[in-house]
Amino acid sequence: MQEKHITDKIKSSYPFVDIVFGTHTLHKFPEDLYKALETKKKLEDIIDIDGEIYEGLPIKRDSKIKASVTIMNGCNNFCSYCIVPYVRGRERSRQPKNIICEIEDLAKNGYKEITLLGQNVNSYLKVEKEKNIPFEQYRGINSFATLLKEINKIDGIERIRFISPHPKDFTDDVIEAIASSNKVCKLVHLPLQAGNTRVLKDMNRKYTKEQYLSLVEKMKNKIPNLTLSTDIIVGFPGETDEEFEDTLDVVKKVKFEQVYMFIYSRRVGTPGDKMKNQIPEEEKHKRFDKLKELVENQMEESNKKYIGTMQKVLVEGESKNNKDVLTGRTDSNKVVVFEGDKSLIGKMVELKIISEHMWYLRGEI
Ligand code: SF4
């Protein structure tokens, strides 16, 4: 709703909608709902601001074992395919104390795994420091690395994940914090988007193919047992067949544990949408299939490596497809199914992996 063309579409096509609100007025929903009911008038509450952090909003959590915790909102990167900076405003970080208190509370309530969320998590407090925006001093937290280390100390929390970091902001102190914090999972999601330097420049990603690969190399050297996952967009405007080969080349070299693959789609209001050299759908699909084939072959290979190994698995519940087996995830986020007593739900168990099935592994206690 933060995009005008969408609001216009709602108003013209769905005239029965009573309230339209945007990302910056989400916290006012109860007030807006009450107003609409009282006045029986249609209400539009969309403001265009850089954005604020609102604390204390109620959160409905689906799981009692894993929780996501937002550490920052907005984005300053303006990748040319992405609408997020326009609809979520500029980067701003939550106060360290509020994050720590929320996680301590989750730990007291039995949560075991925390995923820290933000459009650019590893630039946590960076904007505040650059622009001299004061933030509350708390347990010495002044960066993403120090935040990770403090969360690592919270009793009860057994796993810490984070999405998404930006390769350009992956500083040495963050690498060191991941390596030295025993609860921080050694699966890092490092969005690549494209493997060709010219395409990356057009995407406004601010790193080259070589910089990405040398970051991966450095991380692999410093973080024992590191695995990586990534996001890739195929068919960005102007991408040639040869340039797409660079993406395949990076995938072959890095050997990602998981790849979230996307076919480029135009978003109104982004620079990518205005680019003249859009790739025909058929071509985009051909490239996507080629990437998918490579990724699936690599996944099969990587899954095979798990067979016979012992893995710590956080048990999440009964399998959706088969109530007779339990399901959980490894540190590297692989789904594992196994036979076990329901009392294990919410606990960390050691499993021996006995077989692999592309999207999941099978284990036994
Ligand atoms: S892709 Fe991520 S980093 Fe780039 S503009 Fe969108 S939210 Fe920001």
Side-chain angles (χ1 to χ4, degrees), residues 161-363:
R161 302 186 190 275
F162 54 87
I163 44 170
S164 283
H166 195 301
K168 78 173 166 59
D169 294 313
F170 225 107
T171 45
D172 288 351
D173 61 339
V174 174
I175 297 174
E176 191 277 321
I178 298 168
S180 64
S181 304
N182 63 329
K183 297 175 185 175
V184 176
C185 291
K186 303 304 181 255
L187 168 85
V188 174
H189 185 71
L190 194 65
L192 169 68
Q193 310 302 7
N196 176 268
T197 298
R198 193 204 62 77
V199 175
L200 285 166
K201 190 162 189 294
D202 275 8
M203 285 179 160
N204 197 28
R205 290 292 291 172
K206 301 190 178 81
Y207 52 84
T208 63
K209 174 186 180 184
E210 291 69 30
Q211 283 166 336
Y212 185 92
L213 286 173
S214 75
L215 173 63
V216 167
E217 185 71 13
K218 179 158 67 172
M219 290 168 72
K220 283 186 173 173
N221 286 336
K222 302 224 161 131
I223 307 171
N225 302 319
L226 178 79
T227 54
L228 291 152
S229 62
T230 199
D231 298 324
I232 292 176
I233 300 171
V234 298
F236 185 76
E239 181 190 67
T240 63
D241 269 338
E242 293 73 44
E243 288 169 338
F244 171 64
E245 289 296 322
D246 273 330
T247 299
L248 300 178
D249 186 45
V250 177
V251 172
K252 282 178 200 156
K253 286 189 169 122
V254 179
K255 297 195 168 50
F256 297 103
E257 194 81 2
Q258 277 162 319
V259 181
Y260 300 91
M261 299 169 278
F262 304 92
I263 291 174
Y264 173 75
S265 65
R266 299 168 78 162
R267 288 305 300 265
V268 175
T270 60
D273 182 47
K274 296 187 191 85
M275 292 178 184
K276 295 272 176 273
N277 40 7
Q278 302 289 329
I279 308 289
E281 283 306 311
E282 202 189 316
E283 186 54 43
K284 288 195 269 187
H285 282 266
K286 258 194 228 158
R287 288 181 198 168
F288 182 85
D289 291 344
K290 216 170 162 183
L291 174 65
K292 189 166 163 273
E293 196 186 330
L294 172 65
V295 167
E296 287 182 355
N297 286 340
Q298 286 193 339
M299 264 181 73
E300 210 181 317
E301 280 307 303
S302 113
N303 282 352
K304 278 185 190 147
K305 286 194 206 130
Y306 282 84
I307 297 175
T309 63
M310 295 300 293
Q311 297 289 326
K312 273 193 174 168
V313 168
L314 178 59
V315 186
E316 294 175 11
E318 292 169 353
S319 162
K320 276 188 198 127
N321 303 325
N322 177 1
K323 298 274 176 226
D324 295 333
V325 290
L326 298 176
T327 176
R329 279 173 194 265
T330 63
D331 178 285
S332 57
N333 214 26
K334 290 270 181 202
V335 174
V336 186
V337 297
F338 67 103
E339 282 174 20
D341 193 82
K342 296 197 182 11
S343 62
L344 294 174
I345 295 172
K347 299 205 171 96
M348 197 74 90
V349 293
E350 287 239 27
L351 297 178
K352 184 175 179 184
I353 305 303
I354 52 172
S355 60
E356 64 89 15
H357 306 261
M358 184 62 81
W359 304 113
Y360 68 94
L361 306 171
R362 189 168 276 275

Side-chain angles (χ1 to χ4, degrees), residues 8-20:
D8 290 345
K9 169 84 180 155
I10 293 287
K11 284 199 274 191
S12 60
S13 304
Y14 307 95
F16 48 83
V17 170
D18 293 318
I19 310 167
V20 179

Side-chain angles (χ1 to χ4, degrees), residues 75 77-79 81-82 84-85 119 166 193 205:
C75 184
N77 289 323
F78 291 93
C79 302
Y81 51 81
C82 181
V84 165
Q119 259 78 39
H166 195 301
Q193 310 302 7
R205 290 292 291 172

